[in-house]
Amino acid sequence: MFACQKMPGLGCRAYHLAALGALLVHDVQTTRLDNGLTLHVATSPLGHHAPVAAVQAWVGVGSVDEGPHEAGIAHVVEHMLFKGSRRYGVGELVRTIERGGGEINAWTAFDHTVYHAVLGRDHVDGAIDALGDTLLAPRVDPEELARERQVVLEEIRQGSDDPARGVAQSLFATAFVAHPYRRPVIGTADSVRALQPNALLEFFRSYYVADNLTIVVAGDVDVERVRRGVERRFRTMPSGRPVRRVPAEPEQTTPRASAVARDVAEAYLAVGFHVPAARHPDLAALDVAAILLGQSESARLPRLLRDRDHLATSATATVHALRDPGLMVLSATAPAGRAARTVGALVDHAIGLVDDIDSAELDKARIAAESSFVRQLETAQGRARSLGWHATVTGDPQFGHVYLDRIRAVRRHDLAHVMRRYLRPDNASVAAILPAAGKRASHATFARRAEGLVRRSLAKPPAVAAPVEKRVVLPNGLVLVVRRDPSVPVVAMRAVWRGGQRAEDAKSAGASTLLARMITRGCGKLDAAAVADRIDRLGGGLSGVAGRNSFGIAGEWLARTWQQGFDLLADCVLDPALPHGELAREKKLLVEDQAAQADNPTQVAFRAFSEALYQTHPYARDILGTPDSIGDLDRPGLLAFYRDRYPASAATIAIVGDVDLDDAIAHVRARFAAQPAQKPGAAATPKPPVVDGRSASEREVYRYLDRAQAHVVLGFPGATVDAPDRFALEVLVAILGGQGGRLFAELREKRGLVYRVSAHSVEGLDPGFVAVYFSCAPDKVDGAVAQVRAELDRIRAGGVTTDELDRARSYLAGAHQIAMQRRSAVANAMAYHEAYGLGWNTWSRYDDALRGVGVAEVAAAAATYLRADRMIDATVRPPSPSPAAAKRSKVPGPPPKATPAPPRRASPRPRGNV
């Protein structure tokens, strides 16, 4: 419901291969009830005892089952099922799951609708009961439907602002002329406005029947208890299997292309080819082709189009494997002047697989496949999703056995066969979203040119033991923490330093981010391509990360290759090449990214908020730096910055996974013990600015973007990573935010003012921030701001209830358990907590810290952090401000493009790593 899938093609390669692990490794027991409902229970792997379970309901209905007049009805039904049932009122389903320390959500896709919860294992019975009542006896109240319709319309408007989603939907609309895959899953504003309660009920009764439902439970559960619970709750569900009447897609006979103009900084491009349905034997070879073309740094499309030819800024390849025939998609972003050439190059390099593929590249693809499904085994929700997808989309939960055999059997001639068979001019469709500004050919001209380029390109001749931990400090000061956890054959590692933005001044702004991008772009005698090739051959991942408080390198490997992976990480730390050509390219891309961020109104809002809050403090700056600061960084200067700010002896290294502790310690000693002890340098960090005393107008900032929605951040100075009241602040934010929080209930559920609303606490080595963010229709901004202020006043004046406290603590504890299933999350927490002086094992005491928070502590945190006289109001809206807003903005009329916002994080952050 709250994170619904609107993009075409949930069934990409990751689903195929991730599903295999659950099917091949874990104990899966299947039961079919008398009414036709199917239950799959996947117990935890031997030795993996995370007290977590996932409960998922996969309904075999999606947007393909809708008529043209009811587009979006499957998605609206999904929303309405969260609006109460016979025994659960509005919001009670969410609160029931959160009381179990978990979370619940849903998505609607082309072929299915999924309701998924993850929570503590002791609360599975309650989740099954609540989900069963929702799926058997929902209430469709006309007033609630009217409110939820506004929520969906906001969701549609939000999607219209996302060019990546837009080009995907445009491609499907171009490639399909009859099949419902051509329509957006979410529907259109007109179709959603027309939906009435009786239509929703009729659709629900037709498709929410036992033969069309698969229940999947995975994790540390009792199989018999789960079976009894499902039988008791779902045995009264009506039987029956809906008859699908989906129009057949006629065979395409000529290339198609479409292009539109949008207010974007670069062109978004997609080329699609019709491919068979998920069960077809050719899908395995097509998936291997997609891996080789565009699913890693050393894949052909990014390596050739982006790195060598500098045509594109990104390039990928994906197979959308669906219940009916889907698409293979080649995607790219590129400067507007290179858009047409990029379309031709995408096709050229894809068809090049016919004649130019060797066994070494095939080996890399097989390792990538193995790595994908092994990592999926770490979480209960991953195992459940794997089983559910195979059962619902392919019709056979055991189909993964067949599919894995097909992957292993793919040879060069198979790749050549499928590329020739499906990459044909008469099977190709092109979609493009082009920047609206500047002089260039019309969109119709671009579309005709794209069709011609595709024709020419394709007409060419084919070219279980308990974890054990140790902390070791080397004589030079380097700190190593190791945790053995052999339950899954994965090893995660992190090397981190305090630094990031706090280690930069205005001249070196963005240096840490540039280093993070460069640190794995060559080391020792290996150039960037060789490093990327090595990473893929080891079945791993290696990348630099930089934030407001830190810099580091993150690696993840299969257990059988972790030693070689660690050596590669060490080579990058000790002998980074920072080659001139790569540096020039990354600097250019970094500056382009700075400009492109202005297309994201959420980032623009948070950037404006940070600048207003922090002023001269480094946190006010964009982590990407500025064009001037990045332009001034040459190789000697960047290398000097690295050696000064991030000496090897000042690193904290964490290794977590299927390793021998002594072996890991010996490896680290061998590579780092000889490094000299060196204290890291640091830029002078000014004290955070004082907000007290600023006038209301000084605490309000506005930016203007031509978008369908407004985006608002209302925030305050926040806590440090070691603040004594930081856990009370987390509980406070959980009570305000989240699906069961006060803000969501009041602004979205009750008043329908916003589509999205959330609350955040971001700590730092210096004080961070507390903020409320929401997006809404521009004419609802004033009402939404007033309501947020009222809720904050209410919590400051009246505090919180014991029930709210218990729910929030339970939710935070459950969310922490869910997040810490992955070795990468544990390695993150151990490394950063140690580097920040919190202690490497404090992550394991998080639950105890939450239990120490009471009603009084939350009230004190509200009084400390939610002071009205310290609130910064940052608003991004379309360029038609109200007179009052225009006056307060201090800008004569709508200004030009807003300043860029903070970048995306490269990986989930531990406390303070932003």
Side-chain angles (χ1 to χ4, degrees):
M1 173 184 178
F2 307 116
C4 310
Q5 181 215 338
K6 308 303 173 303
M7 290 290 289
L10 193 60
C12 61
R13 180 184 69 90
Y15 264 96
H16 284 305
L17 302 178
L20 304 181
L23 294 170
L24 299 174
V25 177
H26 301 303
D27 183 14
V28 179
Q29 299 192 34
T30 299
T31 302
R32 188 169 176 85
L33 274 59
D34 291 340
N35 60 0
L37 181 146
T38 301
L39 166 67
H40 302 294
V41 183
T43 54
S44 294
L46 182 64
H48 188 69
H49 296 299
V52 173
V55 180
Q56 299 183 0
W58 289 70
V59 189
V61 62
S63 62
V64 297
D65 301 294
E66 302 164 346
H69 63 287
E70 57 183 8
I73 193 171
H75 172 240
V76 174
V77 167
E78 173 223 309
H79 272 243
M80 291 304 298
L81 260 63
F82 283 79
K83 307 302 287 186
S85 58
R86 180 182 295 129
R87 294 191 296 111
Y88 291 78
V90 176
E92 288 185 13
L93 172 63
V94 171
R95 288 191 286 273
T96 296
I97 301 301
E98 289 185 347
R99 287 192 190 99
E103 55 190 22
I104 187 168
N105 218 317
W107 76 75
T108 302
F110 285 135
D111 300 314
H112 52 267
T113 305
V114 184
Y115 303 85
H116 56 100
V118 58
L119 70 170
R121 64 185 175 194
D122 297 330
H123 302 277
V124 170
D125 291 344
I128 292 172
D129 182 77
L131 195 58
D133 199 68
T134 298
L135 293 171
L136 267 71
R139 292 199 297 255
V140 181
D141 180 79
E143 293 184 2
E144 288 293 341
L145 174 59
R147 279 191 287 269
E148 203 62 21
R149 182 184 286 113
Q150 294 305 311
V151 170
V152 174
L153 292 174
E154 283 297 323
E155 203 172 350
I156 292 172
R157 282 190 283 268
Q158 177 179 276
S160 71
D161 287 340
D162 183 350
R165 177 180 295 178
V167 77
Q169 291 179 342
S170 180
L171 177 65
F172 274 66
T174 303
F176 293 95
V177 297
H179 196 284
Y181 287 161
R182 73 183 317 271
R183 298 194 296 263
V185 171
I186 196 172
T188 66
D190 289 340
S191 66
V192 169
R193 289 191 186 100
L195 294 175
Q196 298 301 316
N198 59 340
L200 268 65
L201 288 171
E202 182 179 352
F203 190 89
F204 173 84
R205 291 166 182 156
S206 298
Y207 292 99
Y208 282 64
V209 291
D211 293 276
N212 203 37
L213 177 63
T214 299
I215 302 294
V216 184
V217 180
D220 190 8
V221 297
D222 183 306
V223 176
E224 284 303 317
R225 183 169 180 172
V226 168
R227 183 182 292 124
R228 288 195 301 270
V230 171
E231 288 178 344
R232 181 171 57 252
R233 179 66 271 191
F234 287 89
R235 64 190 174 194
T236 60
M237 184 175 237
S239 299
R241 177 173 292 278
V243 178
R244 299 183 74 223
R245 298 181 177 88
V246 178
E249 179 68 18
E251 184 176 358
Q252 187 172 339
T253 59
T254 185
R256 303 168 184 156
S258 64
V260 297
R262 290 266 300 271
D263 182 16
V264 294
E266 57 184 351
Y268 291 76
L269 310 166
V271 184
F273 302 88
H274 292 279
V275 296
R279 289 184 63 97
H280 194 280
D282 284 350
L283 261 292
L286 287 165
D287 272 335
V288 171
I291 296 171
L292 294 170
L293 285 172
Q295 297 189 7
S296 72
E297 281 295 299
S298 69
R300 293 193 177 195
L301 296 181
R303 178 163 49 86
L304 299 176
L305 270 68
R306 185 193 64 193
D307 299 349
R308 188 192 70 181
D309 299 334
H310 310 296
L311 278 177
T313 55
S314 68
T316 60
T318 305
V319 175
H320 293 271
L322 305 169
R323 188 163 56 186
D324 292 335
L327 292 179
M328 181 178 187
V329 178
L330 313 174
S331 301
T333 56
R338 305 173 199 160
R341 284 184 294 157
T342 300
V343 169
L346 282 171
V347 179
D348 284 340
H349 293 305
I351 199 64
L353 284 178
V354 169
D355 291 324
D356 182 20
I357 182 68
D358 58 34
S359 57
E361 283 190 283
L362 279 176
D363 288 341
K364 284 203 303 183
R366 294 188 186 98
I367 290 178
E370 179 183 358
S371 179
S372 292
F373 76 74
V374 165
R375 291 193 180 102
Q376 188 83 353
L377 308 185
E378 289 192 277
T379 66
Q381 59 269 39
R383 298 191 292 274
R385 187 172 65 176
S386 300
L387 274 171
W389 187 88
H390 260 82
T392 305
V393 175
T394 74
D396 178 9
Q398 301 300 325
F399 183 73
H401 293 284
V402 176
Y403 194 80
L404 182 57
D405 288 341
R406 290 175 179 173
I407 286 286
R408 290 169 174 162
V410 171
R411 297 295 183 265
R412 282 179 291 181
H413 67 270
D414 298 312
L415 287 176
H417 167 74
V418 296
M419 299 307 276
R420 288 193 185 103
R421 182 172 184 177
Y422 300 107
L423 270 66
R424 309 186 319 271
D426 58 359
N427 194 40
S429 298
V430 181
I433 293 179
L434 305 173
K439 294 182 179 180
R440 61 185 166 275
S442 70
H443 311 126
T445 301
F446 178 91
R448 288 194 297 272
R449 185 180 178 191
E451 290 178 2
L453 288 168
V454 169
R455 283 184 185 277
R456 285 193 293 274
S457 295
L458 297 177
K460 296 175 183 176
V464 193
V468 179
E469 302 160 329
K470 280 189 181 181
R471 178 181 183 272
V472 176
V473 181
L474 302 190
N476 59 10
L478 183 146
V479 178
L480 167 67
V481 289
V482 187
R483 176 181 171 90
R484 171 171 167 77
D485 183 353
S487 58
V488 175
V490 171
V491 178
M493 54 188 67
R494 300 290 185 269
V496 304
W497 292 258
R498 290 170 67 133
Q501 281 180 292
R502 293 181 76 254
E504 301 169 352
D505 54 25
K507 285 191 63 177
S508 60
S512 296
T513 297
L514 183 57
L515 272 173
R517 296 187 177 198
M518 288 296 299
I519 198 73
T520 60
R521 303 294 291 175
C523 59
K525 298 180 180 180
L526 300 178
D527 61 15
V531 170
D533 182 77
R534 180 74 171 151
I535 292 169
D536 289 338
R537 290 181 185 278
L538 296 176
L542 187 67
S543 61
V545 291
R548 301 198 309 169
N549 304 287
S550 62
F551 167 79
I553 304 180
E556 191 168 0
W557 317 95
L558 298 173
R560 62 184 175 85
T561 64
W562 81 263
Q563 293 96 337
Q564 301 98 302
F566 177 79
D567 283 336
L568 187 59
L569 181 149
D571 289 340
C572 290
V573 171
L574 299 174
D575 191 18
L578 307 184
H580 290 286
E582 293 290 332
L583 180 59
R585 184 182 70 84
E586 289 297 340
K587 288 173 61 176
K588 182 174 180 295
L589 290 174
L590 194 54
V591 172
E592 290 175 353
D593 287 347
Q594 293 169 15
Q597 284 184 132
D599 289 335
N600 187 319
T602 302
Q603 293 185 7
V604 173
F606 274 98
R607 169 60 37 224
F609 167 74
S610 295
E611 291 172 352
L613 174 62
Y614 292 111
Q615 296 183 333
T616 59
H617 189 277
Y619 288 170
R621 294 193 291 263
D622 191 336
I623 195 173
L624 300 184
T626 67
D628 289 341
S629 65
I630 295 301
D632 291 341
L633 285 170
D634 56 13
R635 184 183 184 280
L638 188 62
L639 188 59
F641 179 89
Y642 174 64
R643 297 299 187 199
D644 179 61
R645 301 299 203 273
Y646 308 120
S649 62
T652 297
I653 295 178
I655 301 176
V656 177
D658 189 7
V659 297
D660 178 85
L661 297 186
D662 293 334
D663 187 26
I665 293 169
H667 260 78
V668 175
R669 288 187 189 277
R671 296 306 307 269
F672 288 98
Q675 295 300 307
Q678 179 184 339
K679 185 178 180 180
T685 303
K687 293 182 179 179
V690 177
V691 180
D692 301 48
R694 297 191 204 174
S695 67
S697 61
E698 291 175 317
R699 291 184 283 108
E700 293 184 9
V701 291
Y702 290 84
R703 301 288 187 269
Y704 298 96
L705 285 177
D706 189 11
R707 298 292 187 270
Q709 285 189 310
H711 299 257
V712 179
V713 178
L714 304 174
F716 311 82
T720 58
V721 294
D722 58 354
D725 57 359
R726 64 190 186 275
F727 297 104
L729 179 58
E730 283 197 50
V731 173
L732 171 63
V733 169
I735 290 171
L736 284 170
Q739 301 169 13
R742 289 191 182 188
L743 294 173
F744 189 92
E746 191 67 27
L747 273 76
R748 173 166 159 169
E749 295 292 289
K750 182 177 179 180
R751 301 178 184 272
L753 288 171
V754 303
Y755 169 66
R756 176 184 296 173
V757 60
S758 55
H760 309 269
S761 175
V762 176
E763 306 96 350
L765 291 174
D766 294 324
F769 65 83
V770 183
V772 173
Y773 160 78
F774 63 83
S775 60
C776 65
D779 61 353
K780 296 181 179 179
V781 169
D782 291 343
V785 169
Q787 197 58 46
V788 171
R789 289 178 181 269
E791 289 302 310
L792 298 182
D793 289 343
R794 185 163 72 92
I795 208 164
R796 279 194 301 265
V800 301
T801 67
T802 302
D803 181 68
E804 287 179 315
L805 175 68
D806 291 342
R807 179 185 60 80
R809 290 188 306 190
S810 181
Y811 170 74
L812 289 171
H816 183 256
Q817 292 175 348
I818 293 166
M820 301 309 287
Q821 293 179 94
R822 295 191 179 277
R823 281 89 193 126
S824 57
V826 176
N828 256 8
M830 293 173 69
Y832 285 106
H833 288 188
E834 177 68 24
Y836 293 161
L838 303 176
W840 62 275
N841 58 357
T842 52
W843 69 274
S844 62
R845 300 195 293 271
Y846 182 74
D847 290 6
D848 295 335
L850 289 177
R851 282 191 287 269
V853 175
V855 170
E857 287 76 18
V858 176
T864 299
Y865 294 103
L866 302 183
R867 286 179 46 178
D869 61 334
R870 292 181 175 177
M871 187 173 78
I872 303 293
D873 179 343
T875 302
V876 175
R877 61 187 305 158
S880 298
S882 67
K887 182 177 179 181
R888 291 195 298 271
S889 72
K890 301 181 180 180
V891 177
K897 284 274 188 178
T899 51
R904 301 180 300 274
R905 290 198 301 270
S907 61
R909 69 170 180 93
R911 184 179 304 281
N913 181 33
V914 292

